């Protein structure tokens, strides 16, 4: 980088990437258009808003729900949509202590709010946020009163979304699905601590509510990449924040008000997880965990996910991440007094099996 | 095609000039142009054909598990499959490391060479100046952060292969190609090829760089340069760590190596109020230059303007710059300049022996150059530099 001398250079005229004008006519069409898997459409829920939606305020104890279904894929390799929906329902009902899934969703999102599902598609088809899971979330959101057009499934790059099996959709009425490359990043920097970045306009202009849908996996720098690290896909310069095991960058990034104020829930896809060689997909190090990990506390969720990865590493005879010199110290940073994004204290985390 | 530079074939002079001037940096106009921000495109970045910009990196090592270790700069990023290095412009794809910015020009401009600044290298000429996205550090004061701290796909760019760069330079009457604006370290492969193409066409190459490189890559890449300007951002490691996100020692090593390579080198030191403006730092810097590079290396103390992540600090007071110059002068350095201060007499070049003015500069233009046969016309003292094409 240069000092402030040779600063002027030609600037190309602004060009726009026209977004497709394709429109989705209905919820049913949306499911066909946005996702490759078969979709289950249910009657829209008529449940009213039972309680005011609350921001993800941290309770004294954080709850992390692990929902598993050994038969999630039946006898095949593809996740069964019906079973996924059922698994998601169990997870949400357990997290929110509700008898019906729609009640849980209604506690989370108000009709009229715009909801962004931040998926993770770096790992391609092998290790990205599961399509059936995203379908299920979209379905329940709509049944809880969110219009299809108020939902956007997104990641940083449209190509990566497509390579992971998502169908891009930018129609006004259906669920939206596209990458930040279609709308760019905000021109102004936002800063917190060590982080200074431009935020995706999908986050800032298309979402009131953020639901984080990451994948449970190993990361060669951070140790693990689960909930909080997935926010690297929200900024324009993630490459600047990988030194020192991504610490304190991950914690600082999640402190940005634009992220923190929108974040309501993390639904971690652990249907296929990876214990080594991440974040890229390495089939030899991945396993079918057939689980979802759900929490409103991203720190507790990351801590819990980390323990799952460590157990799998031990089972496979691998060293701990600590022994490998890449323990996820960012988790403790996120929990410290300067961040308070959640808790990493196991005595303050209730892990509920669903 | 709506690109300002018709880079595929015929030069569209009107378009090019429009491009060059759109920034407000009209050639020969404006003593200190307003800072530029290559505004991101509100409608989204253009779609670019990544394949045409992608070449295998020259400086890296393959590791196990499809990882690579970058050997371009001292950071030595270990990069996993599908990931990028700190610079954001090099990507590991299946265990092979690629530069994504070869011929991927995101900024192009015809600049006075004085704006680099190079004061002892072909004064009064213009340089065909270009950049790609990316940087291997993250200076909190960067004035070009919108391209230096972006990934290539986030910045509009044109495909301008090396031979075309040389053609354009020639077409616009530039005796030099300047690699500048962002950080040329990160586009070394392109820079090397463009320098070769330029030399084949009789065009020289100059680079404006932080010098934060490994020795081997420095020798290979900057060995092809005809002149080098290094930004020595401070004389303390703590400043490099906290403000630059780099290290001082490798930069000093680069300067010594460039000296040994006999490359014409000038140094710029941006003086940032409260952060690197203490007397001890100025003195240490001047003494180090005197001992390791000699008295004749031009040193430019330039004025800071609040930018990027350092908007809370004021513009460097001119007396601070004058104090820095006085300290360096007192250590015996022959050519100490003050930059970014329009009309300041320390923009001119004076003979260190008879003290007469030899090169007068107005803004970024050398309005008078009295040097003849590389010497002072008044006392015949040799004046180091490359003074005439």
């Amino acid at each position: 980088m240069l000092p402030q001398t040779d600063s002027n250079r030609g600037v190309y005229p602004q060009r726009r990437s026209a977004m497709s004008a394709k429109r989705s006519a209905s919820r049913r069409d949306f499911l066909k258009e946005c996702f490759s898997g078969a979709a289950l459409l249910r009657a829209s829920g008529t449940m009213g808003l039972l309680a005011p939606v609350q921001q993800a305020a941290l309770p004294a104890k954080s709850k992390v729900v692990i929902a598993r279904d050994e038969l999630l894929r039946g006898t095949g390799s593809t996740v069964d949509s019906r079973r996924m929906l059922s698994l998601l329902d169990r997870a949400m009902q357990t997290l929110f202590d509700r008898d019906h899934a729609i009640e849980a969703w209604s506690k989370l999102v108000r009709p009229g709010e715009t909801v962004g599902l931040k998926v993770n598609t770096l790992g391609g088809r092998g290790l990205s946020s599961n399509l059936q899971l995203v379908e299920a979330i979209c379905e329940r959101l709509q049944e809880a009163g969110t219009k299809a057009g108020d939902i956007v499934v997104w990641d940083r790059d449209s190509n990566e979304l497509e390579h992971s099996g998502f169908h891009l959709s930018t129609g006004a009425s259906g669920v939206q699905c596209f990458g930040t490359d279609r709308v760019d990043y905000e021109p102004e920097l936002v800063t917190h601590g060590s982080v200074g970045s431009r935020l995706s306009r999908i986050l800032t202009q298309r979402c009131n509510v953020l639901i984080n849908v990451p994948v449970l996996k190993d990361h060669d720098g951070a140790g693990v990449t689960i909930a909080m690290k997935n926010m690297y896909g929200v900024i324009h310069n993630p490459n600047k924040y990988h030194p020192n095991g991504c610490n304190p960058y991950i914690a600082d990034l999640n402190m940005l008000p634009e992220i923190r104020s929108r974040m309501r829930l993390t639904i971690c896809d652990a249907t296929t997880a990876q214990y080594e060689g991440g974040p890229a997909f390495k089939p030899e190090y991945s396993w079918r965990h057939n689980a979802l990990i759900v929490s409103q506390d991203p720190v507790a969720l990351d801590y819990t996910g980390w323990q799952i990865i460590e157990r799998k590493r031990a089972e496979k005879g691998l060293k701990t991440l600590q022994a490998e010199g890449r323990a996820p110290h960012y988790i403790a940073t996120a929990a410290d007094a300067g961040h308070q994004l959640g808790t990493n204290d196991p005595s303050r985390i209730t892990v509920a099996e669903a | 095609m709506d690109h300002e530079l018709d880079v595929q074939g015929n030069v569209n002079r009107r378009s090019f000039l429009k491009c060059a001037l759109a920034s407000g940096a009209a050639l020969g106009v404006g003593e200190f142009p307003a800072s530029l921000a290559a505004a991101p495109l509100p409608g989204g970045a253009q779609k670019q054909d990544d394949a045409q910009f992608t070449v295998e990196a020259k400086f890296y090592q393959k590791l196990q598990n499809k990882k690579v270790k970058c050997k371009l700069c001292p950071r030595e990023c270990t990069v996993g499959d599908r990931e990028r290095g700190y610079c954001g412009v090099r990507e590991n794809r299946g265990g092979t490391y690629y530069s994504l910015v070869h011929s991927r020009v995101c900024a192009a401009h015809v600049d006075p060479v004085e704006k680099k600044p190079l004061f002892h290298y072909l004064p009064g000429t213009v340089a065909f100046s270009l950049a790609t996205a990316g940087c291997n550090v993250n200076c909190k004061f960067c004035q070009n952060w919108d391209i230096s701290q972006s990934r290539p796909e986030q910045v509009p760019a044109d495909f301008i292969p090396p031979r075309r760069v040389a053609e354009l330079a020639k077409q616009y009457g530039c005796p030099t190609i300047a690699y500048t604006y962002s950080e040329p370290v990160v586009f070394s492969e392109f820079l090397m090829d463009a320098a070769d193409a330029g030399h084949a066409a009789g065009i020289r190459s100059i680079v404006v760089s932080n010098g934060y490189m490994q020795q081997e890559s420095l020798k290979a890449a900057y060995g092809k340069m005809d002149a080098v300007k290094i930004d020595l951002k401070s004389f303390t490691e703590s400043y490099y760590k906290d403000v630059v996100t780099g290290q001082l020692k490798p930069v000093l090593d680069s300067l010594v190596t460039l000296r040994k390579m006999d490359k014409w080198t000038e140094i710029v030191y941006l003086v940032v109020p409260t952060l690197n403006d203490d007397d001890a730092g100025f003195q240490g810097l001047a003494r180090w230059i005197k001992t390791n590079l000699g008295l004749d290396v031009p040193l430019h103390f330039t004025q800071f303007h609040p930018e990027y992540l350092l908007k809370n600090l004021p513009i460097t007071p001119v007396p601070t710059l004058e104090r820095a110059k006085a300290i360096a002068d007192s250590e015996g350095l022959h050519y100490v300049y003050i930059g970014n201060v329009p009309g300041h007499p320390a923009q001119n070049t004076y003979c260190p022996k008879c003290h007469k003015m030899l090169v007068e500069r107005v803004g970024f233009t050398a309005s008078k150059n009295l040097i003849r046969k590389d010497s002072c016309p008044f006392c015949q003292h040799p004046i180091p530099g490359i003074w005439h094409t």
Side-chain angles (χ1 to χ4, degrees):
Chain A
M1 197 171 331
L2 64 160
Q4 303 179 345
T5 305
D6 198 8
S7 62
N8 291 333
R9 72 271 173 182
V11 179
Y12 293 95
Q14 296 185 342
R15 276 164 260 182
R16 293 168 189 271
S17 295
M19 285 172 49
S20 165
K22 188 178 174 187
R23 288 170 183 272
S24 299
S26 65
R27 282 179 55 208
R28 191 180 298 271
D29 287 342
F30 136 66
L31 288 170
K32 286 178 184 167
E33 287 194 347
C34 286
F35 306 111
S36 60
L40 289 174
L41 288 179
R42 307 277 165 86
S44 291
T46 54
M47 200 80 62
L49 198 65
L50 299 180
V53 173
Q54 292 180 353
Q55 198 66 24
L58 294 174
K61 241 179 165 183
S62 289
K63 191 174 189 179
V64 178
V65 174
I66 302 175
R68 292 195 69 188
D69 178 359
E70 292 299 345
L71 298 176
L72 190 62
R73 300 164 202 262
T75 54
S77 59
T78 305
V79 168
D80 181 280
S81 294
R82 286 175 187 274
R83 297 194 77 96
M84 174 57 85
L85 192 63
S86 171
L87 186 66
L88 176 66
D89 285 349
R90 279 195 280 134
M92 291 295 288
Q93 287 167 222
T94 306
L95 183 68
F96 289 98
D97 291 320
R98 289 289 181 275
D99 293 331
H100 301 286
I102 302 303
E103 293 176 27
W105 285 103
S106 298
K107 267 185 73 75
L108 193 74
V109 181
R110 283 194 189 93
E113 289 186 310
T114 52
V115 183
L117 305 184
K118 170 63 180 71
V119 296
N120 186 306
T121 53
L122 180 73
R125 281 189 181 269
L127 196 65
S128 292
S129 303
N130 182 272
L131 291 170
Q132 288 80 6
L133 170 60
V134 176
E135 279 179 6
I137 296 169
C138 291
E139 185 171 345
R140 286 296 184 242
L141 279 169
Q142 290 174 74
E143 288 172 349
T146 303
K147 291 178 186 167
D150 287 341
I151 301 170
V152 56
V153 177
W154 64 286
D155 202 353
R156 64 180 183 184
D157 187 80
S158 299
N159 286 336
E160 289 181 347
L161 280 162
E162 284 190 299
H163 290 155
S164 300
F166 291 88
H167 290 187
L168 302 186
S169 175
T170 57
S173 59
V175 169
Q176 318 279 295
C177 181
F178 54 89
T180 299
D181 55 304
R182 294 296 183 95
V183 292
D184 213 337
Y185 296 85
E186 291 288 351
E188 297 301 322
L189 285 170
V190 291
T191 62
H192 183 91
S194 60
V195 167
S197 298
R198 293 164 53 200
L199 292 169
S200 168
R201 282 182 162 146
I202 300 177
L203 175 78
T204 57
Q205 299 183 14
R206 304 293 289 264
C207 309
N208 302 136
V209 175
L210 189 57
I211 297 177
N212 191 9
V213 191
V215 178
L216 177 66
K217 55 183 180 174
D218 171 87
H219 190 278
D220 58 1
V224 296
T225 169
I226 314 174
M228 291 186 282
K229 174 71 169 56
N230 197 33
M231 291 301 104
Y232 273 39
V234 172
I235 56 175
H236 84 293
N237 57 349
N239 45 293
K240 296 298 178 190
Y241 305 131
H242 281 86
N244 194 43
C246 304
N247 188 30
Y249 308 108
I250 292 176
D252 285 348
L253 173 61
N254 280 267
M255 288 294 286
L256 290 173
E258 292 82 355
I259 293 175
R260 198 174 185 183
S261 67
R262 289 171 172 82
M263 186 67 74
R264 297 266 176 94
L265 179 69
T266 300
I267 302 175
C268 173
D269 171 17
T271 54
T272 299
Q274 188 164 307
Y275 57 88
E276 170 75 1
F281 178 47
K282 302 282 191 327
E284 65 271 33
Y285 298 127
S286 68
W287 86 102
R288 290 177 180 171
H289 195 52
N290 295 321
L292 301 179
I293 310 170
V294 183
S295 181
Q296 289 191 291
D297 179 341
V299 184
L301 192 150
D302 275 11
Y303 179 83
T304 305
W306 170 29
Q307 302 312 307
I308 292 171
I309 286 177
E310 290 286 20
R311 284 197 289 277
K312 180 56 77 172
R313 291 178 65 83
E315 183 188 315
K316 296 291 182 181
L318 292 175
K319 290 181 189 170
T320 63
L321 292 173
Q322 176 80 43
E324 281 210 349
R326 55 188 184 99
H329 295 299
Y330 77 86
I331 297 175
T333 303
D336 70 18
H339 295 84
Q340 300 185 57
L341 286 161
T343 183
N344 68 333
D345 177 356
S347 70
R348 293 184 57 220
I349 301 172
T350 301
V351 178
E353 304 276 346
Chain B
M1 179 170 175
D2 61 354
H3 297 178
E4 292 296 346
L5 273 172
D6 179 3
V7 297
Q8 300 299 331
N10 299 326
V11 173
N12 178 341
R13 182 175 170 79
R14 178 175 296 178
S15 293
F16 174 72
L17 288 175
K18 187 178 165 193
C19 161
L21 302 180
S23 65
L27 299 185
V29 178
E31 182 76 5
F32 182 65
S35 64
L36 269 193
L41 305 179
Q46 69 185 131
K47 276 291 170 194
Q48 298 171 29
D49 177 9
D50 283 345
Q52 66 183 340
F53 305 120
T54 303
V55 299
E56 185 172 356
K58 283 188 190 296
F59 309 102
Y60 79 102
Q61 179 187 345
K62 294 192 176 191
L63 304 176
Q64 287 185 328
N65 278 332
K66 294 183 179 177
K67 290 184 181 179
V68 301
K69 178 179 277 191
C70 184
K71 306 293 279 184
L72 179 61
C73 91
R75 199 174 292 282
E76 288 205 331
C77 295
T78 297
V79 184
D81 186 19
R82 299 286 320 275
E83 292 200 289
R84 293 190 191 177
Y86 186 86
C87 61
V89 304
R90 288 162 186 272
E91 185 168 288
N92 179 350
R93 295 180 178 174
T96 302
Y97 206 37
Y98 291 95
S99 163
L100 309 180
V101 289
H102 196 285
S103 308
R104 196 171 196 161
V105 176
C106 70
H109 206 115
V110 176
D111 282 341
V113 73
E114 283 80 8
K115 196 158 83 69
K116 305 299 132 191
L118 281 169
F119 278 11
H120 290 227
Y121 193 81
L122 303 181
T125 65
V126 288
F128 185 77
S129 307
L130 57 84
T132 77
C135 183
N136 62 339
V137 294
N138 186 10
C139 299
K140 287 188 164 79
F141 49 76
C142 185
Q143 203 166 15
N144 288 334
W145 65 269
D146 52 330
I147 57 171
S148 70
Q149 301 305 315
S150 294
R151 294 176 160 222
E153 66 273 22
Q154 296 166 351
V155 182
D158 281 308
F159 178 64
I160 311 185
R163 213 157 63 177
R164 188 79 191 120
V165 170
E167 287 171 5
L168 288 167
K170 202 155 198 174
Q171 205 121 16
Y172 291 107
C174 303
T176 51
I177 302 163
Y179 313 94
T180 180
Y181 303 135
S182 55
E183 179 43 63
V185 169
V186 307
F187 58 90
S188 285
E189 291 83 0
F190 176 39
L191 165 150
M192 293 167 76
D193 291 346
D196 285 344
H199 287 142
I203 308 289
R204 305 182 206 192
S205 276
I206 59 181
V207 65
V208 175
S209 173
N210 61 24
Y212 191 50
M213 297 179 83
Q214 294 209 11
Q215 288 288 300
E216 192 179 329
S217 58
L218 175 85
K219 289 173 187 167
Y222 291 2
K224 293 178 181 290
M225 297 296 105
D226 297 284
V228 182
K229 194 217 76 181
I230 295 293
D231 302 317
L232 184 55
K233 295 162 195 286
S234 167
F235 204 61
T236 65
E237 286 288 359
S238 61
Y239 182 95
Y240 263 87
K241 178 173 177 285
D242 297 336
V243 181
V244 177
T245 324
Q247 300 165 272
L248 169 63
K249 175 73 166 48
V251 180
L252 298 180
D253 292 344
S254 291
L255 282 165
V256 171
T257 300
L258 289 166
R259 180 72 178 160
K260 287 179 183 165
M261 291 165 70
D262 208 22
K263 294 293 172 191
W264 180 255
T265 303
E266 301 191 21
I267 297 172
V268 165
Y269 184 103
L270 181 77
V271 181
V272 183
T274 74
L275 296 182
N276 67 353
D277 62 349
D278 60 296
D279 288 0
F282 295 144
Q283 191 170 53
L285 168 72
R287 285 183 179 171
W288 184 88
I289 291 173
K290 182 169 69 175
T291 304
N292 294 279
L293 308 177
L295 300 174
D296 285 339
V297 173
L299 171 62
H300 305 250
F301 289 110
T302 55
Q303 187 177 50
F304 160 85
H305 286 245
E307 281 289 345
Y308 189 36
L309 300 171
L310 278 186
K311 288 185 175 171
N312 57 324
L313 294 177
I315 292 172
T316 318
V318 173
T320 303
L321 299 167
E322 290 171 337
R323 175 166 51 85
K325 175 175 164 51
I327 290 171
D329 285 342
S330 71
E331 290 297 327
L333 299 192
H334 289 160
Y335 305 100
V336 184
Y337 298 99
I338 288 177
N340 287 354
V341 181
H344 199 286
Q347 283 192 133
N348 304 321
T349 300
Y350 301 89
C351 174
K353 188 177 175 191
C354 70
H355 305 294
K356 288 203 167 63
M357 187 171 70
L358 302 178
V359 182
E360 183 180 50
R361 296 182 179 85
V362 177
F364 291 120
T365 305
S367 55
K368 192 186 293 180
N369 179 4
L370 302 178
I371 294 171
R372 293 291 176 271
K373 295 182 180 174
D374 299 338
S375 301
C376 170
F378 306 106
C379 69
Q380 279 68 55
H381 184 79
I383 309 297
I386 312 297
W387 298 105
H388 302 283
T389 52

